[in-house]
Amino acid sequence: QSLGLPITDEQIKEMEANLDNIDFKMAAEEEKKLRHDVMAHVHTFAHCCPKAAAIIHLGATSCYVGDNTDLIVLRDGFNLLLPKLARVISRLADFAEKYADLPTLGFTHYQPAQLTTVGKRCCLWIQDLCMDLQNLERARDDLRFRGVKGTTGTQASFLQLFEGDHSKVEELDRLVTAKAGFKRSYMVTGQTYSRKVDIEVLSVLASLGASIHKICTDIRLLANLKEIEEPFEKEQIGSSAMPYKRNPMRSERCCSLARHLMTLVLDPLQTASVQWFERTLDDSANRRVCLAEAFLTADIILSTLQNISEGLVVYPKVIERRIRQELPFMATENIIMAMVKAGGNRQDCHEKIRVLSQQAAAVVKQEGGDNDFIDRVRADPYFSPIHKQLESLLDPSSFTGRAPQQVAKFLKEEVRPALIPYQGKMSGKIELAL
């Protein structure tokens, strides 16, 4: 109307007055008869708006309705997920800060490695989630509107309506795009927007699924070691047969659903590859499933992970005991350096330690005993020059390097600033449903 077509105020007011007056029963009957979902609702809307019936869907195609709606839904879906992801990062950041200095045994290949801290390990999780936060923001911001493009994307019907005035067609596209809350529309489309857009959307959600699967797998492994546990309700039952069990069911649920989320990206990959020319309809049913499932799955995983991160339980004594089992071997280099400073020979010391460490390892592996390497060092007169230094040489905090400083710097300079846009949306705890 604003661009000059003969559309009356009365017609517009009639449509506005009936926006929520949807006769779903009639629409279902129309669709059964017409075998066309959009036209079923066009007819139903026209029935409510007899004065405007002649101009409803004027110049449009079904994908003007469906695809533009999908893009709005995708954008709004990201806007629902992003604050939830920010909340998870915020909770884990608080956890990392609290345990930034607590030494813990590191693992590579799931074998004992140099020490790290509980907070530093958590920062590995947070960094992945921060990448996901950036990826979701980018995918949302990269979305454009399909706009007003016509049946095969040429805008031919609208050019005819405006009697060949290209500027009015372009202005119509711009106005509708702006009214839908988008800054840009895709300049080129077929009947649909490129299905590669769906690949981009589900790729970042699948990547989020991979991050959460990794985090929850770590938590499950730590639960087995009895170092960290997810929340466990007072009356919760871990096993119907074994009353003592405390199964990490929340983390297992996240892993289970994350695997589903990761597989969903295969749908748009295949769909985009088989779109013939301007479009084919074998995309529609598939997209109605995979797009919705991806957002719903990401949503519940984030809610569950928030619940986990709000109730993580740490057992410092268990962590300390495991460190004490492994630290003596890790301290051998420090012992060698201390002996050299006290006047010893590096090669002689190395051989002494090799023999004693092999004996201690045999006690652990063959007899099931505790690591007695340090007791053997204390009992050997050769090491008498450093006997008084042994406790300081075995201080776990001296083996964690710059882990505490890395945690503080990372949280201050990267994590907290990334959460600023979501301040005011990160309060409230999540109670886990069944």
Side-chain angles (χ1 to χ4, degrees):
Q1 185 195 53
S2 64
L3 293 171
L5 289 190
I7 297 169
T8 67
D9 289 341
E10 187 178 23
Q11 288 174 315
I12 293 174
K13 289 178 181 177
E14 184 184 51
M15 288 189 291
E16 288 176 340
N18 285 279
L19 280 176
D20 298 318
N21 180 23
I22 304 172
D23 188 338
F24 287 102
K25 183 178 180 181
M26 179 181 178
E29 291 171 352
E30 287 288 329
E31 184 172 356
K32 186 175 182 180
K33 179 173 63 177
L34 302 174
R35 295 294 177 182
H36 198 290
D37 54 355
V38 173
M39 283 306 295
H41 279 275
V42 168
H43 285 193
T44 302
F45 194 33
H47 179 76
C48 296
C49 307
K51 295 175 183 176
I55 61 163
I56 291 174
H57 207 59
L58 183 62
T61 183
S62 295
C63 287
Y64 166 77
V65 178
D67 272 33
N68 280 325
T69 300
D70 285 343
L71 290 161
I72 292 171
V73 170
L74 293 176
R75 178 198 62 195
D76 291 354
F78 279 128
N79 286 335
L80 290 171
L81 292 181
L82 280 163
K84 292 194 171 194
L85 177 53
R87 283 198 292 269
V88 170
I89 294 172
S90 176
R91 303 304 190 266
L92 290 175
D94 292 341
F95 179 85
E97 190 170 47
K98 181 177 180 180
Y99 294 102
D101 301 324
L102 182 62
T104 190
L105 187 65
F107 289 96
T108 60
H109 314 269
Y110 200 38
Q111 300 300 314
Q114 287 188 351
L115 269 58
T116 182
T117 70
V118 171
K120 171 63 191 302
R121 175 178 283 150
C122 182
C123 284
L124 297 178
W125 305 340
I126 295 170
Q127 180 167 252
D128 286 352
L129 293 176
C130 283
M131 292 173 66
D132 293 316
L133 190 75
Q134 292 176 343
N135 288 337
L136 264 65
E137 290 173 338
R138 174 188 53 76
R140 177 199 61 189
D141 296 343
D142 282 350
L143 286 174
R144 302 189 194 185
F145 208 47
R146 180 186 179 274
V148 183
K149 297 297 195 297
T151 54
T152 58
T154 65
Q155 298 177 305
S157 59
F158 297 101
L159 189 62
Q160 183 177 0
L161 284 172
F162 289 108
E163 298 179 350
D165 191 329
H166 290 268
S167 63
K168 286 189 176 181
V169 176
E170 290 185 358
E171 180 64 6
L172 177 65
D173 201 359
R174 188 194 68 78
L175 285 171
V176 173
T177 297
K179 283 181 179 293
F182 286 81
K183 295 179 180 178
R184 297 182 298 171
S185 66
Y186 295 107
M187 293 183 69
V188 176
T189 74
Q191 190 171 91
T192 68
Y193 67 77
S194 171
R195 293 311 183 218
K196 283 185 71 68
V197 174
D198 296 342
I199 296 175
E200 293 298 310
V201 169
L202 263 65
S203 289
V204 299
L205 296 181
S207 183
L208 171 65
S211 299
I212 294 176
H213 198 292
K214 193 272 188 206
I215 293 167
C216 290
T217 299
D218 283 357
I219 293 172
R220 291 163 66 189
L221 293 170
L222 290 167
N224 172 261
L225 298 176
K226 296 181 174 60
E227 293 189 6
I228 291 179
E229 288 183 343
E230 65 177 35
F232 197 89
E233 309 296 340
K234 185 177 180 180
E235 297 183 6
Q236 182 175 331
I237 294 175
S239 167
S240 61
M242 296 168 278
Y244 59 87
K245 291 286 289 289
R246 291 173 68 94
N247 298 334
M249 54 83 70
R250 292 165 168 83
S251 298
E252 290 172 322
R253 179 180 297 177
C254 283
C255 289
S256 182
L257 291 172
R259 287 201 299 274
H260 178 60
L261 179 56
M262 287 186 279
T263 64
L264 288 174
V265 71
L266 295 175
D267 276 337
L269 280 168
Q270 295 182 67
T271 295
S273 72
V274 296
Q275 286 301 285
W276 302 345
F277 305 112
E278 281 64 51
R279 78 89 48 104
T280 181
L281 195 61
D282 67 349
D283 64 334
S284 179
N286 184 290
R287 294 176 66 252
R288 292 175 194 226
V289 175
C290 70
L291 295 179
E293 281 196 7
F295 279 87
L296 289 168
T297 305
D299 181 90
I300 190 56
I301 293 174
L302 285 172
S303 293
T304 307
L305 184 56
Q306 181 184 335
N307 175 263
I308 293 170
S309 62
E310 288 172 346
L312 284 173
V313 181
V314 178
Y315 296 104
K317 294 297 183 182
V318 177
I319 293 172
E320 181 182 3
R321 185 171 71 243
R322 184 158 285 108
I323 289 174
R324 292 296 178 187
Q325 283 288 316
E326 302 294 339
L327 194 60
F329 292 149
M330 296 180 191
T332 55
E333 187 175 2
N334 288 2
I335 293 173
I336 291 173
M337 290 188 292
M339 280 295 296
V340 171
K341 287 180 182 179
N345 178 282
R346 194 264 177 197
Q347 309 312 326
D348 292 342
C349 185
H350 183 278
E351 178 60 20
K352 285 275 190 181
I353 287 178
R354 186 189 71 80
V355 173
L356 295 181
S357 62
Q358 295 282 2
Q359 293 170 352
V363 170
V364 173
K365 295 178 180 179
Q366 297 174 20
E367 300 176 19
D370 292 334
N371 189 332
D372 63 358
F373 172 71
I374 296 301
D375 292 336
R376 293 175 185 273
V377 171
R378 284 197 178 99
D380 193 324
Y382 176 81
F383 294 99
S384 59
I386 63 164
H387 280 169
K388 292 182 179 179
Q389 300 179 45
L390 285 176
E391 284 303 318
S392 61
L393 291 174
L394 289 167
D395 180 6
S397 63
S398 67
F399 289 83
T400 59
R402 297 191 63 254
Q405 290 75 21
Q406 287 179 345
V407 171
K409 186 178 179 67
F410 175 58
L411 295 180
K412 179 182 178 182
E413 296 185 11
E414 292 197 23
V415 179
R416 303 298 186 190
L419 299 179
I420 290 174
Y422 306 98
Q423 287 180 348
K425 299 179 181 179
M426 294 190 292
S427 61
K429 286 193 173 185
I430 288 286
E431 295 295 332
L432 186 67
L434 290 176

